Every structure is written in C-alpha cells, then in structure tokens.
Amino acid sequence: MERKPTPDHLLLDRQLCFALYAASRSVTGLYRPLLEPLGLTYPQYLVMLVLWEQEGLTVRELGARLQLDSGTLTPLLKRLQAAGLVDRRRRAEDEREVEIRLTEAGLALREQASDIPECMAQRLQLSLEQMQTLRDELKQLTRQLQLSPTEE
Amino acid sequence: MERKPTPDHLLLDRQLCFALYAASRSVTGLYRPLLEPLGLTYPQYLVMLVLWEQEGLTVRELGARLQLDSGTLTPLLKRLQAAGLVDRRRRAEDEREVEIRLTEAGLALREQASDIPECMAQRLQLSLEQMQTLRDELKQLTRQLQLSPTEE
DNA sequence: GAACATTCAATTGTACACAATTGAATTTTG
DNA sequence: CAAAATTCAATTGTGTACAATTGAATGTTC
C-alpha cells in the first residue's frame, strides 16, 4: 500500500527543460505590453527583426533564420501583410519561392521598436555581461542540438 | 535613397529572448521522439511530472506550478483523461475546484518515463554541473520577472 | 441573511508550433 | 527531352498559449 516517491531525476524543479520553457514564456510575456502598441505579437516581432536586417528574403530563408516552417510562417506573414507591414510576392526567377518585402509602414515601424531592447534589458535586471553570457550559452545549446540529430 | 542599416541592438542574434525561444523549442523537439512512445506531448509530460510528485492537486494548483491557466490546462487535462491517465473530479468541500488524480495507468507510466532525464542529459552534451548552473540561472531569471510586474 | 464581491474551471476567440500532405515549379536523370 | 525526383509555399489537423468572458460556488458585508 506504500507508494514509492517519485525519483529525484523526475522532479519538475530538477528539469533544465522546464526552466527553459518557463523562462521563455516569461520573457515573451514581458514583451507583450511593449509590442502591443506596435500591433505585433512576439513571433511577428522576430520576423520583423529579420526583415529589418535583410530585405527580400523568401519564406524558406526566414524559416531557416527563425527555425520555423511554412505552416507557422505562412499564416503569420499573411497577418503581417493584412496589417500593411509586408508584401508577399512570387519570385519571377523561381515561381516556387515567395519573397517577403517590407512596406514603407513596415520599415517605419523599426523606429518605434528601437527602444524595446533597452527597455527589456532594464526589466531583466541582468548586467549586459550576464545577458551576453546567458545568450551565448543558449545559442551554444541550440547549435549543439541541431548538430546531433535524433539518432534512432 | 540610402537606407539606414538596422541598429545593432535590433539584430536578431543579439537578442537574449530569441536565444531563449529557440533553445526552448529545440529542447522540446528533442523530447518529442522520447515522449511519443508514451503517448504524451511535452506540456502533458510536464503535467505528469507534477502529478507524479504530488497527487490530488486542483487545476489552479497545477497552473501555479507550471505557470499555465485553465484555458491551457482544461483541454490538456481532458486529453490526459481521455487517454486514461488521470481522473478529474469536482471537490466535495468546494465545488468550484476540480481535483486531478492519477489513474493506475497514469502512475504506472512513471516507470516508462524514468530514463528520459538521463537520456536527455546525454543528448544535451552538457556536464551535470553546466546543466545545473544554466537551469538555476534561468530559474533566477524567471523569478525575477515574476517579482517585478509590468509597471505601466 | 440577502446583496455584493471574489474565486474557481470552463469556454471563446486569436495566434502560434509542427507533423503530414498537397500541388505547382524546377532539377535531375536516363 | 521526357519521366522521375526534388523543392517550394500552402494547407490540414492537432495541440498548446493566453486574454477575456461566463457562470456556478463560495466569501464578505452590512
């Protein structure tokens, strides 16, 4: 009748994955009120960051950068288009590809977004150095996981 | 006609938030093939971790632990119930609360999940110490964000 | 103790994620 | 060059996330 306690390694608080999952959602939540005035969701903001860096990417190229597939990007980009921030156009050279370009409004939005990173940095209560270290550890982790695919 | 380049602080690769977002999704993706034989999604796995630790929690208590609201948990718990892993029952003491209890099958699943954390640790290619450090940094970050609410 | 307020889980509606499939366009091959 | 294979974005279907609302149950107050 005695029930075994759960083994330590299955405790929620021991899991790196949950720490990651919780932190990611918390940070996204912190962005929400900052992005709401711009009319952007957090994933839409990430797409805009990429487009502000480099114009005329295809859906595939955007997906490679953000690790998202067309199932996620296509509807998201349609919403950005409906909001008047981007244009979507089949490429003449290769009709399979759809090129995403900023509209004037889309480019102009960059100015409004310009102080978001600083604002976030303040709220995270981390030094610039701590932020960089943590960011680079996470990037290293992600790179590691993409290099070693799931061997069956 | 000259277009200004995007300022450095708006570059995608500079963002801690994207590093977090990408890492979280990558890790979740790594769990997927391990959880599939158990018939669990990753959020469902997190719920099971909590229930294996402590039985008879309410939806609210589960939500407090996982930082999820009833809009997410109610349908998720219905799916776990449909899979025969949990029971959902209104509390007699307070009919507003719904208590979640493991079924025999739900408890038994713990044995099958038992080697998942070790398997993941191997794939993450981090030392136990590195994992703990990173995990604790992320927990600290999350705690920080929950303490300082969005002052308008 | 009846009006009022609060606390629950559930519901509604919008927006991701992602696996799997589709179908058109292009590339490769025999 | 024509058939087969590949590469795209789009679509379909399932499962989260989360804000906002609903409605029942419980607490509080006068």
Side-chain angles (χ1 to χ4, degrees), chain A residues 76-145:
Chain A
L76 187 157
L77 291 168
K78 283 183 178 177
R79 282 186 282 269
L80 288 181
Q81 183 178 36
L85 299 175
V86 306
D87 279 336
R88 297 160 62 244
R89 204 179 309 155
R90 293 267 165 197
R91 278 216 173 134
E93 313 91 276
D94 187 338
E95 294 269 354
R96 289 171 303 184
E97 299 187 314
V98 170
E99 192 174 276
I100 311 298
R101 304 200 74 88
L102 291 170
T103 61
E104 283 298 318
L107 180 58
L109 201 65
R110 187 174 63 179
E111 310 316 315
Q112 280 190 67
S114 180
D115 49 354
I116 288 181
E118 192 190 350
C119 182
M120 281 300 302
Q122 274 183 14
R123 300 196 182 184
L124 292 181
Q125 297 273 64
L126 295 176
S127 72
L128 214 55
E129 194 191 350
Q130 283 175 309
M131 277 187 55
Q132 286 172 12
T133 304
L134 184 53
R135 181 195 65 199
D136 292 339
E137 283 171 352
L138 292 169
K139 283 165 79 168
Q140 173 55 34
L141 181 67
T142 304
R143 195 164 25 228
Q144 181 62 49
L145 296 186

Side-chain angles (χ1 to χ4, degrees), chain B residues 1 8 32 38 48 55 63 71 85 88 91 107 109 111 114 124 132:
Chain B
M1 219 54 246
D8 281 356
R32 205 165 288 120
L38 311 196
M48 294 302 287
E55 266 266 51
L85 300 175
R88 298 161 60 244
R91 278 216 174 132
L107 181 58
L109 200 65
E111 310 316 316
S114 180
L124 291 180
Q132 286 173 11

Side-chain angles (χ1 to χ4, degrees), chain B residues 4 22 33 46 51 59 66 68 73 77 84-85 87-88 90 113 120 124 133 137 143 145:
Chain B
K4 283 183 204 150
L46 294 179
L51 293 175
V59 173
L66 297 170
L68 293 170
L73 285 175
L77 291 167
L85 300 175
D87 279 336
R88 298 161 60 244
R90 293 265 165 199
M120 282 300 300
L124 291 180
T133 305
E137 283 170 353
R143 193 164 27 228
L145 296 186

